[in-house]
Amino acid sequence: MSDCYVRILPESPEDNIDTTAVTAIIKYLSEYTVSDSIRCVESAAMMFVDCGGNLDRIVCPHCGGAVDFGWWGERMTEAHAGRFADLRVVMPCCAMQSSLNDLLYDFPCGFAKTMIEMRNPQIPVSEACLVQLRRMAKCNVRLIAARY
Ligand SMILES: [Zn+2]
């Protein structure tokens, strides 16, 4: 049986969720739904927050072209070598500037230094819950549904 994770992180890698907000969000989520666990993952370096087995395809945000997984893997290896400090890429499909964070991952993925993770939550995050999370995080947030 696989596990489902709901991960909450800032929409922009420039933003972060401070310790006070993390504590408040964990308390809020533990009241919102029953989960096997809720934890915060923090790192001094940027982390790639992935969706596990849910990643089906990646699309260019400019032209809608399908992104080749081989090309993406090479860009990820290069960016990882620099601890994901520089996420800029030039798209091979349309030569437009983008960022590894802005590619359209299906399901979503992202980059962050702080994320909050629920394991096997019984209720999905509703629109109202998301509004509340954004308010508490004091920044736009991205939701990532991962499966392993
Ligand atoms: Zn493109």
Side-chain angles (χ1 to χ4, degrees):
M1 205 187 121
S2 63
D3 284 314
C4 293
Y5 295 85
V6 172
R7 296 168 167 169
I8 295 137
L9 59 155
E11 173 64 30
S12 166
E14 309 294 316
D15 287 329
N16 211 351
I17 304 173
D18 67 44
T19 313
T20 310
V22 165
T23 306
I25 288 170
I26 288 175
K27 181 170 184 290
Y28 169 74
L29 289 172
S30 66
E31 289 163 3
Y32 176 76
T33 180
V34 173
S35 308
D36 288 352
S37 64
I38 305 178
R39 64 175 188 145
C40 173
V41 181
E42 284 179 291
S43 164
M46 195 70 76
M47 303 177 280
F48 176 54
V49 183
D50 74 306
C51 64
N54 284 336
L55 183 59
D56 192 32
R57 63 188 190 131
I58 308 172
V59 172
C60 171
H62 294 292
C63 73
V67 173
D68 177 70
F69 273 94
W71 176 86
W72 177 73
E74 287 169 23
R75 300 293 82 71
M76 286 293 285
T77 302
E78 287 171 6
H80 185 252
R83 305 181 88 205
F84 292 130
D86 184 358
L87 298 174
R88 291 174 297 172
V89 287
V90 175
M91 302 308 295
C93 37
C94 58
M96 295 288 282
Q97 290 267 5
S98 190
S99 149
L100 291 169
N101 189 64
D102 295 338
L103 303 183
L104 304 176
Y105 297 92
D106 181 16
F107 291 7
C109 297
F111 292 83
K113 290 182 175 175
T114 303
M115 72 144 168
I116 294 153
E117 178 181 87
M118 289 190 281
R119 183 163 150 259
N120 297 320
Q122 290 184 2
I123 302 173
V125 172
S126 67
E127 199 53 46
C129 177
L130 190 56
V131 167
Q132 181 69 6
L133 290 172
R134 285 180 178 137
R135 197 181 64 73
M136 296 174 92
K138 300 191 250 342
C139 63
N140 203 354
V141 298
R142 187 178 287 194
L143 280 185
I144 293 179
R147 181 168 48 82
Y148 295 96

